[in-house]
Amino acid sequence: MSQLIITTNTAEETIAVAEKLANRLTPGDVITLEGDLGAGKTTFTKGIAKALGITRTLSSPTFTIVKEYEGKLPLYHMDVYRLEGSDEDIGFDEYFNGNGIAVVEWAQFIEDFLPEERLDITINYQDEQSRVIEFTACGAHFESIIESLS
Ligand SMILES: Nc1ncnc2c1ncn2[C@@H]1O[C@H](COP(=O)(O)OP(=O)(O)OP(=O)(O)O)[C@@H](O)[C@H]1O
Ligand SMILES: [Mg+2]
């Protein structure tokens, strides 16, 4: 199975889905997040942080591009919105091949740097409280993860 669609009706539900996913992740995993402004990319990442036992408040890294958090595994939270149209390599390899989990908001802007094996997530705004979350697994590792989520 390489695709899974889940609808959530509150931000808390989105966080819970992200926690369930994060419990299945292993070092070096890369998650991409696409979706309009306010879709819920950072909210989803908060759920991942929660599952990793990160207690520091996760805020949007828009102005720093990458924020690193210490948890059961390190979390590299990236927001590459500001890299649109640039081909600058900010050292992506280190994050994508590291010991932690890399989560990339607006990943479409750094497509050329993304590893082939990854989990792509698109969040679509339905109404104020509802979101449709679409998971696309690239590679066997992520296929088995989304199978276990369904
Ligand atoms: N079902 C839902 N899932 C996720 N967020 C929701 C949901 N319902 C309401 N929300 C709210 O929508 C907002 C999503 O904001 P968030 O910062 O996560 O979006 P974002 O995609 O990271 O935006 P940006 O592109 O600005 O980084 C939050 O205020 C959150 O509480
Ligand atoms: Mg965000």
Side-chain angles (χ1 to χ4, degrees):
M1 184 168 132
S2 60
Q3 271 219 329
L4 173 67
I5 294 174
I6 294 176
T7 301
T8 63
N9 296 303
T10 61
E12 289 68 34
E13 273 180 45
T14 295
I15 289 172
V17 169
E19 278 183 74
K20 214 170 145 191
L21 165 68
N23 287 328
R24 293 160 168 78
L25 297 175
T26 53
D29 282 357
V30 177
I31 311 291
T32 74
L33 288 166
E34 295 186 23
D36 291 342
L37 285 168
K41 301 179 293 298
T42 299
T43 301
F44 192 95
T45 311
K46 283 181 180 169
I48 292 179
K50 193 174 167 196
L52 295 177
I54 291 161
T55 49
R56 244 174 83 206
T57 305
L58 186 128
S59 55
S60 186
T62 303
F63 296 102
T64 46
I65 299 182
V66 189
K67 274 193 189 165
E68 227 175 295
Y69 297 85
E70 282 309 317
K72 284 179 223 167
L73 295 172
L75 172 65
Y76 313 121
H77 181 204
M78 313 166 77
D79 185 325
V80 298
Y81 185 72
R82 288 195 312 148
L83 296 182
E84 182 179 14
S86 105
D87 56 5
E88 187 189 347
D89 183 351
I90 61 159
F92 292 114
D93 250 24
E94 231 170 281
Y95 299 113
F96 297 158
N97 299 311
N99 300 316
I101 306 297
V103 176
V104 191
E105 295 190 36
W106 296 101
Q108 64 266 42
F109 295 152
I110 60 154
E111 222 172 327
D112 292 347
F113 296 106
L114 295 173
E116 265 173 46
E117 292 239 339
R118 59 178 200 259
L119 180 61
D120 290 331
I121 301 175
T122 302
I123 305 178
N124 286 303
Y125 185 100
Q126 284 274 101
D127 60 43
E128 208 163 311
Q129 292 290 307
S130 303
R131 305 290 189 273
V132 176
I133 307 175
E134 194 182 306
F135 300 81
T136 305
C138 308
H141 170 61
F142 292 108
E143 282 182 15
S144 75
I145 286 178
I146 65 168
E147 217 153 286
S148 79
L149 281 181
S150 66

